[in-house]
Amino acid sequence: MPDTRTTRPLDDDNGDGSDSMLPTKRAKTSVSDTSLQTYLSLGLPMDQALAKSYTHFSPLPPCNGDDEDGFVLGVDEAGRGPVLGPMVYATCFCRESYYSELSSLGFADSKQLTEAQRDELFAKLQATKIQAHAGWSIRCISPQDISHYMLRRTKYSLNALAHDATIQLIQDVLERGVPITKVFVDTVGPPESYQRKLQELFPKISIVVAKKADSLYPIVSAASICAKVTRDAHLSHWVFAERWLQDTISKEYGSGYPGDPNTIKWLRSSIDPVFGYPGIIRFSWSTCTKLLDERAVKVGWADDEDAPKGNKSKFFTRNNGVDSRQRSKFFSRNRSIQLASSL
């Protein structure tokens, strides 16, 4: 597990790069009503390139060992399907005795709310009165980390990444001394097996995993808003790790979903034939790989041409003590290169 600072780094859409989960309608990603300074004041690193993932916690409500009022916690995500930008998992948690009042504030599935409504509800969670009873946290997983995990030799699927982010968030809240008694999670994959998995890890907590939990449980809706607002803010204020692109490349990339015409237009216009895409892209998505195959320069690796055919292990073995391996063509050319042993 990564470090445990309040804001910290973590180390396809269907887990296989198929881009099949396409939304029919999504809100724009601009966050015009909320300034960059607002997010910075909360401790969210919107002024930095998102090369590494991080976890952030709001101020925690006061808790002590004698507090008999348990806490209810919800988990949801934003940005699972897009070809670009981070995937954000979030929790919201509050005292059980305060849950009815929190629910009355109007929390609903973030996808059913306007941008202005989401911003307003997110701002309410920062109020001192509410922070006495509730808190929130986010796990912001960078697109570069998503690419790294899904393209490595031992594949780490998006589902596994999502499960681990959820588990980590719940564990982090518990380690901070918040007495969680109930957890509601919007499912990733079959809810029954996911619920069993979480229940085995947290046997003392009542856990419910359900489809559309963000529409059923206000605490999950609140988590959904934290996740959505954070993701949208990162995209709106995106800082390219490739600094030379900051003022030269368009940020009109739409929602980031492969079904969004504005996203496809940006992908087609922003590709570099040699260097491909900047780090905002999730390179494991089939939308990205298809465009790179179509529009980028083909690369051939010289070592592949020189490698022996068939069983590669033969290249590293000797026959009767005699080294039968063929040297690369690079060394057979007249390059005035001598063996070190002959000097």
Side-chain angles (χ1 to χ4, degrees), residues 308-315:
K309 306 299 181 182
N311 187 355
K312 301 290 190 299
S313 63
K314 294 180 180 178
F315 185 73

Side-chain angles (χ1 to χ4, degrees), residues 306 308 312-319 321-328:
D306 294 336
K312 301 290 190 299
S313 63
K314 294 180 180 178
F315 185 73
F316 301 97
T317 60
R318 296 171 180 261
N319 292 326
V322 178
D323 189 349
S324 61
R325 294 173 294 177
Q326 293 185 353
R327 304 182 73 196
S328 168

Side-chain angles (χ1 to χ4, degrees), residues 30-179:
S30 63
V31 191
S32 57
D33 296 333
T34 310
S35 69
L36 173 63
Q37 192 57 44
T38 300
Y39 296 107
L40 296 179
S41 68
L42 295 176
L44 295 168
M46 300 296 173
D47 60 341
Q48 303 172 28
L50 186 58
K52 290 185 177 295
S53 305
Y54 70 92
T55 294
H56 174 82
F57 268 79
S58 72
L60 298 177
C63 303
N64 59 66
D66 299 326
D67 195 342
E68 296 181 358
D69 192 2
F71 278 68
V72 57
L73 178 146
V75 183
D76 200 9
E77 56 79 25
R80 178 178 168 81
V83 66
L84 57 80
M87 178 173 70
V88 181
Y89 265 78
T91 72
C92 186
F93 45 92
C94 74
R95 301 181 194 278
E96 289 191 55
S97 60
Y98 187 74
Y99 190 24
S100 295
E101 186 168 347
L102 184 74
S103 302
S104 69
L105 297 177
F107 289 102
D109 179 6
S110 66
K111 296 183 287 297
Q112 306 304 320
L113 300 173
T114 66
E115 180 185 332
Q117 288 173 324
R118 289 194 299 270
D119 288 344
E120 180 181 357
L121 288 168
F122 184 68
K124 286 183 178 180
L125 288 175
Q126 320 315 320
T128 303
K129 178 183 177 181
I130 293 179
Q131 287 185 342
H133 305 281
W136 56 273
S137 64
I138 57 117
R139 184 69 180 156
C140 186
I141 306 172
S142 74
Q144 291 190 35
D145 279 345
I146 294 172
S147 297
H148 166 72
Y149 283 117
M150 295 190 65
L151 292 175
R152 69 186 188 180
R153 188 180 297 274
T154 304
K155 189 175 180 180
Y156 184 29
S157 74
L158 198 66
N159 280 2
L161 185 60
H163 285 195
D164 288 348
T166 297
I167 292 166
Q168 180 183 327
L169 283 171
I170 296 172
Q171 185 64 43
D172 285 351
V173 175
L174 291 170
E175 289 178 355
R176 283 165 169 77
V178 181

